[in-house]
Amino acid sequence: MRPLSSGDVPLDESGELKVSQTSYDYTRPYWDQIGATIVGRRVFDMTEGWDGQP
C-alpha cells in the first residue's frame, strides 16, 4: 500500500500525493506551518534529486 497515493484528495499542488479527507484534514495544517525541510544525501539519492523539482 502506498499511503500517500491511495486516497482521492490531493495533499499538495502537484496532485501526486493523494490521501483520504481525514488524513488531509490532519496533515495539511501541519504542512502549512513548515518553513523549510532539511534532508540529507540519502533522501536526495532515494528521490533521485526530485528530478530538479524540490
Side-chain angles (χ1 to χ4, degrees):
M1 175 190 245
R2 298 185 58 144
L4 290 177
S5 62
S6 61
D8 55 352
V9 179
L11 187 55
D12 68 353
E13 299 80 31
S14 75
E16 292 182 34
L17 304 176
K18 294 185 179 181
V19 296
S20 68
Q21 185 66 53
T22 302
S23 291
Y24 178 90
D25 293 342
Y26 178 81
T27 305
R28 193 66 230 184
Y30 173 72
W31 277 26
D32 289 340
Q33 294 179 30
I34 297 173
T37 303
I38 300 171
V39 300
R41 179 59 188 248
R42 177 160 166 71
V43 172
F44 183 84
D45 290 343
M46 288 171 48
T47 62
E48 298 179 8
W50 299 281
D51 293 327
Q53 302 293 319

